[in-house]
Amino acid sequence: MLDTYKLRSACSLPFVFDKKINTVGTSNADVPLADPGMYQLDITLRRGQSLAARDRGGTSDPYVKFKIGRKEVFRSKIIHKNLNPVWEEKACILVDHLREPLYIKVFDYDFGLQDDFMGSAFLDLTQLELNRSTDVTLPLKDPHYPDHDLGVILLSVILSPKEGEPRDVDLSENEVVGSYFSVKSFFWRFQTQSLRLSDQHRKSHLWRGIVSITLIEGRDLKAMDSNGLSDPYVKFRLGHQKYKSKIMPKTLNPQWREQFDFHLYEERGGIIDITAWDKDAGKRDDFIGRCQVDLSSLSREQTHKLELQLEEGEGHLVLLVTLTASATVSISDLSVNSLEDQKEREEILKRYSPLRIFHNLKDVGFLQVKVIRAEGLMAADMTGKSDPFCVVELNNDRLLTHTVYKNLSPEWNKVFTFNIKDIHSVLEVTVYDEDRDRSADFLGKVAIPLLSIQNGEQKAYVLKNKQLTGPTKGVIYLEIDVIFNAVKASLRTLIPKEQKYIEEENRLSKQLLLRNFIRMKRCVMVLINAAYYINSCFDWDSPPRSLAAFVLFLFVVWNFELYMIPLVLLLLLTWNYFLIISGKDNRQRDTVVEDMLEDEEEEDDKDDKDSEKKGFINKIYAIQEVCVSVQNILDEVASFGERIKNTFNWTVPFLSWLAIVALCMFTVILYFIPLRYIVLVWGINKFTKKLRSPYAIDNNELLDFLSRVPSDVQVVQYQELKPDPSHSPYKRKKNNLG
């Protein structure tokens, strides 16, 4: 008999990196070693009594999680400001054996912060009588403070055997939860002689729709500062998806005009929690007000303009909200994938053919990732083994494989499919070690730009460290296919880049500050050296060079036309292109940046050890915030200069070709059309843009284009490492034959 995993139906599984699960076994002798079938556990979460206060006001906002083993199987709604909450919520859970107890955890919901732990309890399923309703009162305890009284949770449970084959469970937003949100498919272990999935489980679509939100403006917000103004920003939360707007300084009527998307995991939509805050440097931000949007009350495929009154405060927020159907994102077994099915492949190729340029411009392409296996992973457990699983990320779409326990060379054999919104996105595949008692351990990561992928090639990628600057132990075998519409991809290049919701919080780093300063200095020195060169021509340091420059100056000034500007840039791109194809590549690996990134990694490890000893340094909080801002500004300036350089260096050939097309168009336009007419059209467009589209989001096409070009740091991070020849599958076959 073979152990395999059966893919369950659509579910949202926010991913946890700090899961603390203490499973308690049972020694009941009546429990058989292998249960003959499935059990159905019907639970009614009644209420809580005398729960612990976790908020400053002496109350809490409690909610409850149910877990069996490593799986979260239910999560209750949040009851605000109540230490004696009444839920009266029901859950139906399928249990494949009774050895694992039901683990109950209670948390205090804190919007924008990590939720506070309020206590936990266990329910031993082997002690329940079959087919009989049992009222259970569970005292809550904190394992670190067992003597503290944290209140009780009251439940009603019915355990009954489930006859027949295990059926699929429709779950939503019920897997491990933490600072990182994502989605994970459920797998039930069962014994079978067949490895084929049934037809209805060929694919599992993990979310059912998308809600597109545009934050337009705020009106008459509450003044929180002494100057009678505020520095407002807004936080959004839908389930475990979060978004934070930019800060608008010194205004009570801010204009944000920001757009972002959330995934919908429930048919009824859910509720978006919105809070407005005033930014205060060096101290806790002030609360301005809150409001909610009930998505179940909004019709789909239609844009709704909402003016929301802020509760517990003053003013309004103006939003545009649109609910649309789901994008194609799925997980399936290796034996079942879209591109090997000839009919499905033809449909995908037709969907992204050049003839369908203006059909759904946001749908740029299709990505299929086969996560096959890994070899030689790092041993993270004391037993010399690991429990590895994979996280596959494309922008804000995150999918996970199942965990392969006690194995350093796991085989997942899973196929992930994504819709591509931006061809310049980077596919990230991260391997973690699942740990029951503490946060998941990082084992390795690779970052692969979509434009660098060679379709249909099974490739061994050397795993890198967290900073993507050097190798770590192990390789992962992937086979990736990308199909996209080049015209759509080009058009999408000129609109704002999708913002990543969850990113690591910036912190002060001396090495990072020095690195960004040196990068900016190098970009500035290019301009300074150019100025010195021109000045040397004026000084006649080299008479032949100065004479040539003088003749060229007279010729250009006498015959100058505006079209010559893009023409010169076009010639520069063409010159570098011919240098590259002729083997005279003038692009050099930046060893300085690589060395500094490695030094930064060592410093980060040192800082992590120091932070465990020192804790938070509150006295320099304000100074740190200023330094982080300076550090980020240096990074932005340095990246801007490097992106311009890398455009002309053909670092991303797709973008360089796009630049050639654009420069050719500009050259022709400027050649045939007088400048005054072009300036007139540009001015009319700028003056009438807000009249024609009041809620248009401002953007700069040139900056949006440059945002797709990798900086020198990103070039190093995305660079593939050469695998160990011993990991070659062809060499392995030859050795086996030998």
Side-chain angles (χ1 to χ4, degrees), residues 422-440:
D422 188 345
I423 195 60
H424 311 287
S425 301
V426 177
L427 175 69
E428 296 183 359
V429 181
T430 312
V431 183
Y432 291 94
D433 167 64
E434 183 179 296
D435 210 320
R436 304 178 74 177
D437 300 320
R438 54 192 175 91
S439 60

Side-chain angles (χ1 to χ4, degrees), residues 230-249:
S230 293
D231 303 315
Y233 65 92
V234 181
K235 292 181 180 179
F236 296 80
R237 178 166 179 166
L238 175 61
H240 289 85
Q241 302 173 81
K242 301 176 184 178
Y243 179 83
K244 179 181 175 182
S245 76
K246 60 188 177 186
I247 300 168
M248 304 301 293

Side-chain angles (χ1 to χ4, degrees), residues 659-674:
I660 284 180
V661 172
L663 290 172
C664 287
M665 291 174 59
F666 293 154
T667 302
V668 172
I669 291 172
L670 291 171
Y671 180 79
F672 287 103
I673 302 176

